[in-house]
Amino acid sequence: MSQFPTEILTLATKVIELNASRQTRVATAESCTGGLIAAALTEIAGSSAAVDRGFITYSNDAKMEMLGVTAGTLQQFGAVSRETALQMARGALIRSNAHLSVAVTGIAGPGGATPGKPVGLVHLCAAHSDGRLIHREMQYGDIGRTDVRLATVTTALQLLAELSA
């Protein structure tokens, strides 16, 4: 039995099927979701035809070392920002054999909020090797850590499906 809701499994199946049929691969770059996006994708039978790898970059050091996010970006905009999500997504493409990536960075709660960056704020970016980028700033609200993380997985899979189509 899967740990994921049906909506997530349906989206993950769509992403796997679209990419497997095109012989393209996906990479994930995850902070606040801690690997849940990659886990949802690999929950689907046949996912090895479409998933390349996942990066779990919870710390700023990991974002810099594994994905090439610059210290300047983190200092100027913070880990939870459009700019960081963009660099994470691009870094995942560069450091993998994937054709598209999705990156997420946010504040799942219950703590971690700062002025202007409330609990439930998540920046997501999907990038394609052809240069297309999609960014979403989501304000899920203080709905609980688990629900913020699952909502983020859903949105990330929607972005991957959009770029895969």
Side-chain angles (χ1 to χ4, degrees):
M1 178 155 168
S2 174
Q3 63 182 345
F4 295 104
T6 302
E7 178 186 14
I8 287 175
L9 294 174
T10 300
L11 283 166
T13 299
K14 180 178 180 179
V15 170
I16 295 301
E17 288 174 352
L18 284 168
N19 285 282
S21 70
R22 290 175 173 78
Q23 298 182 331
T24 52
R25 293 189 168 283
V26 174
T28 64
E30 304 182 58
S31 187
C32 62
T33 50
L36 288 174
I37 301 164
L41 289 168
T42 58
E43 184 76 16
I44 308 306
S47 59
S48 60
V51 176
D52 181 57
R53 69 190 75 189
F55 300 90
I56 300 173
T57 56
Y58 212 69
S59 71
N60 286 349
D61 284 344
K63 288 174 183 66
M64 291 186 292
E65 292 168 18
M66 295 174 72
L67 298 172
V69 175
T70 65
T73 294
L74 293 167
Q75 289 167 357
Q76 184 175 354
F77 301 104
V80 180
S81 65
R82 176 186 188 277
E83 293 78 8
T84 295
L86 255 160
Q87 286 188 4
M88 289 172 67
R90 288 185 174 137
L93 279 182
I94 292 166
R95 291 169 160 86
S96 72
N97 296 315
H99 302 87
L100 62 155
S101 68
V102 67
V104 300
T105 181
I107 304 165
T114 60
K117 294 187 180 183
V119 169
L121 170 65
V122 180
H123 284 272
L124 304 94
C125 184
H128 197 288
S129 57
D130 67 10
R132 290 180 292 151
L133 286 168
I134 304 171
H135 167 260
R136 295 273 189 285
E137 176 182 321
M138 302 301 292
Q139 303 251 359
Y140 299 113
D142 192 355
I143 58 175
R145 183 174 183 80
T146 298
D147 287 340
V148 168
R149 287 163 46 104
L150 289 174
T152 301
V153 171
T154 300
T155 305
L157 292 172
Q158 289 168 342
L159 293 180
L160 283 173
E162 187 177 331
L163 268 192
S164 299

